[in-house]
Amino acid sequence: MLHDERVRVDAQRNRDRILEAARALVAETGVDATMEDIARHAGVAVGTLYRHFPAKEDLVAAVVEDSLAQMASLTEGALASVHAGAPPGAALGQLFREIAERHASDQAFKSAAGRLDVDAEIAAAAPGSAVARSTSAITELLHRAQIAGQVRADLTLADLALLLGAVPGAGTAPHLRERFVDIVITGLAPPLHP
């Protein structure tokens, strides 16, 4: 391996370790994690961290971007399951359950999920961006579930985002959070007497 190639591989490895450490600390403590804590957790010098991310905001933005990409994968996976024959209402409920679980325990993911509720940001999202991909997939999934009569006809993306925002956090006993999510998913169904 050439020296320059080795330096690039080492630099990428350090960047990946920094992002992994930042994800873990931001998930646990939110944006209050210090750069020194992140560097120590990643096993790199603080100077190395600052070479990759000159400001804490850059690092937090990279962590949230990664969470947005994970959100896009979840929503697109749920839609793909419908294309493969899964009932859209069940796929939407399972997606809500998965996002709620991540939302409750991962502060970066919670921030990413919250961005789905910002109409101006959705409108301004670049085509192909993680926000645009997530919004497109969940909107189509919701529409298909409504056409199939499996969720309320008046349910909106903003409603789903509001419900996700109400998911009890990591300090809540898991069985209580699961009960909350079960109640919400049951409430997504169409009323018995329209």
Side-chain angles (χ1 to χ4, degrees), residues 32-117:
D32 293 335
T34 68
M35 295 292 264
E36 291 77 13
D37 290 340
I38 294 167
R40 186 171 36 261
H41 194 74
V44 300
V46 174
T48 300
L49 187 150
Y50 279 106
R51 267 195 305 282
H52 289 282
F53 301 99
K56 184 176 179 183
E57 293 76 23
D58 299 324
L59 180 54
V60 170
V63 170
V64 171
E65 249 342 281
D66 181 65
S67 293
L68 285 168
Q70 291 175 27
M71 171 87 68
S73 292
L74 283 175
T75 57
E76 289 171 338
L79 184 57
S81 74
V82 170
H83 289 167
L92 183 64
Q94 182 59 34
L95 175 64
F96 186 90
R97 186 176 305 285
E98 289 173 14
I99 292 174
E101 190 56 40
R102 295 282 308 277
H103 192 267
S105 61
D106 184 332
Q107 294 299 313
F109 197 81
K110 183 175 184 173
S111 175
R115 292 174 78 172
L116 291 177
D117 190 30

Side-chain angles (χ1 to χ4, degrees), residues 106-190:
D106 184 332
Q107 294 299 313
F109 197 81
K110 183 175 184 173
S111 175
R115 292 174 78 172
L116 291 177
D117 190 30
V118 182
D119 294 335
E121 189 156 354
I122 289 169
S129 71
V131 171
R133 289 173 38 220
S134 292
T135 302
S136 174
I138 200 166
T139 299
E140 183 178 344
L141 184 59
L142 175 59
H143 181 69
R144 284 175 176 254
Q146 288 170 324
I147 287 173
Q150 296 171 352
V151 298
R152 301 174 59 102
D154 61 345
L155 188 64
T156 67
L157 179 61
D159 294 332
L160 290 173
L162 185 64
L163 291 167
L164 280 170
V167 171
T172 302
H175 74 280
L176 293 176
R177 184 170 44 256
E178 288 168 17
R179 179 168 166 71
F180 174 88
V181 171
D182 286 343
I183 290 168
V184 168
I185 289 172
T186 300
L188 299 181

